[in-house]
Amino acid sequence: MPTVDQYLQTNAPRFEQDLCELLRIASVSTDPAYRAEIDRAAQWVADRLRRLGLSTELIQTEGHPLIYAESPHIEGAPTALVYGHYDVQPADPLDLWISPPFEPTVRDGNLYARGATDDKGQFLTHVFSVEAWLAAEGRLPLNVKYLIEGEEEIGSASLQAYLEQHADRLACDCVVISDGAQFAPGQPAITYGLRGIAYFDLVLKGPARDLHSGTFGGSVTNPANVLARMLASLVDEHGRIRVPGFYDDVVPLSPREREGFARLDFDERRYFEQIGVDGAIGEEGYTTLERRWARPTCDVNGLWSGYQGKGAKTVLPAEAGAKFSFRLVPNQDPSKITAALRAMLAAMCPPGIRFELTAHHNSPGVLVPLESPYVQAAARAIEQAFGRAPVFTREGGSIPIVLSFHEHLHADTLLIGWGQDDDNTHSPNEKFALGDFHRGIGASARLWDELSRVTK
């Protein structure tokens, strides 16, 4: 790829200028006041893809526009779908920014602006790499499609609907997503697994009104007491979740995965110091990284009941409630767990209490096999560009769009982020290291070459 590499080197300053041009567009998706900027950003992306000679469509939706583009079809070659988003979070609080959020500024090798790493700078690496191939070689070695949205920060409703209706058009062998971080500075990573989620509201209703705890205590079932027992019953003293059948479908961590996690340069003491604790408990028999990335969990997210003001008020509350969630690992079924949880809590509910369990958003986990030829191709490309082999990690959180791609396209997803954990995503002074930006472009250019060699 010497001609491609030469093009990347020659055009590196212009790539930075182009990125800054897009970053100056305040495409905040959650605030209707920025709708004109959203449209301007969508048009910018569409124009840039058309300029490459790609068949490009700016798709109007009930929400914000989608951009779809594809390269000239090469019969028999693999197809990669690049996903990204041009919308950004609000810049507030503005007084905490060192430089204005929509005036890109370079300091100490970092480009500061809202959207720099989330996700304009990252998805553009896959645009500039295609430009380099087409300009230097006159062709791509495989088929590339783009699906760029403007609602990632507000739930991706328009994209979800489009994906359900146009799965045939989006058909591909793998999905490429760069909207995350490396494991550490200078240590690239491929994320191959995501946990899912099942989120609940639990409300317990007792007497018709708050009662005097002295007059009525002991003769009326206290909803707050019952709630405490119910929540405590969800996890045993060994950190295991007690919902019947909860672990039936859990896929155990393989020895290869556990050995890989153990080799990572992870400082547990520093991790705890960063979040302000002196240690932690969790499921016995698993390390901190294993529990964080690849084991199911139960967490109470909020509690309420009775008197919350200053001082004392001897009240027996009429209601008590909690919000809690399970993080699920691949192969666990949220609907199955919801049914088992509902039956468990109903059996625990004593006389004098009515319980209401509301299931909110849920999604199963996703796991891409480490043996996937697309994962291995990405690993080779990243090592060539970064000079260091990537590590393989999982992510404890959920990315619903990844699950949607998995369900509708049946394609492996390559989560290959070029950012860093300290890029201030969603916070003031968001940044993207220019070195990582250019290494990401180089890795993307090599990715197209490596993916083209994968045989179906």
Side-chain angles (χ1 to χ4, degrees):
M1 297 173 40
T3 57
V4 173
D5 289 337
Q6 181 60 49
Y7 186 91
L8 295 179
Q9 183 176 352
T10 301
N11 288 273
R14 199 255 304 159
F15 292 153
E16 294 179 16
Q17 294 170 8
D18 289 351
L19 170 57
C20 289
E21 187 177 304
L22 180 57
L23 291 173
R24 291 188 183 97
I25 303 175
S27 48
V28 178
S29 54
T30 193
D31 188 343
Y34 291 89
R35 179 60 201 240
E37 293 291 272
I38 280 283
D39 291 339
R40 192 157 71 95
Q43 189 65 59
W44 190 98
V45 175
D47 289 344
R48 185 51 50 101
L49 292 170
R50 287 196 189 98
R51 195 181 303 173
L52 300 183
L54 305 185
S55 174
T56 304
E57 183 180 355
L58 184 62
I59 303 165
Q60 299 300 330
T61 72
E62 293 184 2
H64 301 326
L66 293 167
I67 300 99
Y68 174 79
E70 60 182 32
S71 62
H73 184 70
I74 304 172
E75 191 65 34
T79 299
L81 173 68
V82 174
Y83 163 79
H85 64 94
Y86 62 83
D87 66 317
V88 300
Q89 284 279 323
D92 309 71
L94 294 175
D95 60 326
L96 296 183
W97 284 81
I98 296 174
S99 51
F102 296 106
E103 293 181 15
T105 305
V106 177
R107 295 193 299 275
D108 301 321
N110 297 311
L111 180 61
Y112 287 84
R114 172 59 85 227
T117 193
D118 182 24
D119 174 47
K120 293 176 178 178
Q122 296 212 53
F123 87 74
L124 276 179
T125 63
H126 302 299
V127 176
F128 296 142
S129 65
V130 164
E131 175 188 326
W133 267 95
L134 294 173
E137 297 289 334
R139 63 174 184 85
L140 285 168
L142 78 169
N143 302 300
V144 178
K145 300 177 180 180
Y146 292 89
L147 185 62
I148 312 298
E149 68 158 321
E151 297 178 9
E152 194 275 344
E153 303 292 3
I154 53 173
S156 300
S158 297
L159 184 142
Q160 295 281 3
Y162 186 83
L163 182 56
E164 293 173 7
Q165 297 168 14
H166 299 281
D168 290 344
R169 187 183 197 188
L170 301 173
C172 59
D173 297 291
C174 65
V175 181
V176 178
I177 301 177
S178 292
D179 189 11
Q182 302 174 61
F183 180 71
Q187 178 55 75
I190 296 176
T191 301
Y192 69 95
L194 300 170
R195 289 195 295 192
I197 189 171
Y199 195 101
F200 302 93
D201 263 324
L202 175 63
V203 177
L204 303 183
K205 297 183 177 182
R209 61 187 182 280
D210 289 354
L211 302 174
H212 190 298
S213 64
T215 303
F216 293 93
S219 67
V220 176
T221 308
N222 186 319
N225 292 357
V226 175
L227 178 67
R229 288 197 298 271
M230 284 184 170
L231 294 177
S233 74
L234 294 176
V235 182
D236 69 17
E237 65 273 21
H238 305 292
R240 297 274 293 183
I241 296 165
R242 298 181 62 199
V243 176
F246 188 86
Y247 292 94
D248 288 355
D249 300 319
V250 171
V251 178
L253 277 164
S254 69
R256 176 184 177 185
E257 291 177 291
R258 302 194 79 172
E259 291 167 5
F261 290 174
R263 286 195 301 269
L264 294 174
D265 185 16
F266 174 69
D267 187 333
E268 185 178 80
R269 178 177 295 181
R270 181 171 177 271
Y271 171 74
F272 288 141
E273 287 176 351
Q274 286 178 327
I275 56 179
V277 298
D278 60 3
I281 60 172
E283 186 182 8
E284 292 179 4
Y286 295 93
T287 67
T288 297
L289 281 183
E290 289 171 347
R291 295 197 303 260
R292 178 183 174 189
W293 287 346
R295 292 298 296 172
T297 62
C298 173
D299 287 292
V300 176
N301 307 123
L303 285 167
W304 60 269
S305 186
Y307 179 64
Q308 304 292 318
K310 295 180 180 180
K313 181 181 181 183
T314 53
V315 62
L316 192 159
E319 295 185 358
K323 297 177 183 292
F324 63 96
S325 60
F326 299 114
R327 290 291 175 174
L328 309 179
V329 295
N331 216 42
Q332 286 186 291
D333 182 349
S335 61
K336 180 178 177 181
I337 288 169
T338 298
L341 172 69
R342 192 179 301 277
M344 174 184 174
L345 296 180
M348 294 181 63
C349 193
I353 298 293
R354 292 166 289 124
F355 91 96
E356 299 174 357
L357 181 69
T358 302
H360 290 289
H361 61 283
N362 65 72
S363 64
V366 177
L367 191 66
V368 178
L370 289 173
E371 298 76 17
S372 162
Y374 304 104
V375 171
Q376 296 305 313
R380 292 191 297 271
I382 291 171
E383 183 172 7
Q384 292 169 37
F386 282 78
R388 189 173 184 181
V391 294
F392 297 97
T393 65
R394 293 202 195 186
E395 170 57 53
S398 305
I399 306 177
I401 193 60
V402 174
L403 174 66
S404 297
F405 285 135
H406 181 75
E407 289 180 337
H408 294 289
L409 304 183
H410 309 290
D412 289 347
T413 299
L414 304 176
L415 292 165
I416 45 177
W418 315 129
Q420 298 292 342
D421 279 342
D422 65 352
D423 277 346
N424 301 319
T425 302
H426 292 201
S427 300
N429 303 307
E430 180 180 344
K431 68 176 178 63
F432 192 18
L434 288 173
D436 288 333
F437 171 62
H438 290 294
R439 281 185 286 269
I441 299 172
S444 177
R446 284 160 177 77
L447 179 64
W448 308 139
D449 182 52
E450 292 291 345
L451 289 177
S452 72
R453 303 174 191 274
V454 175
T455 56
K456 299 183 181 181

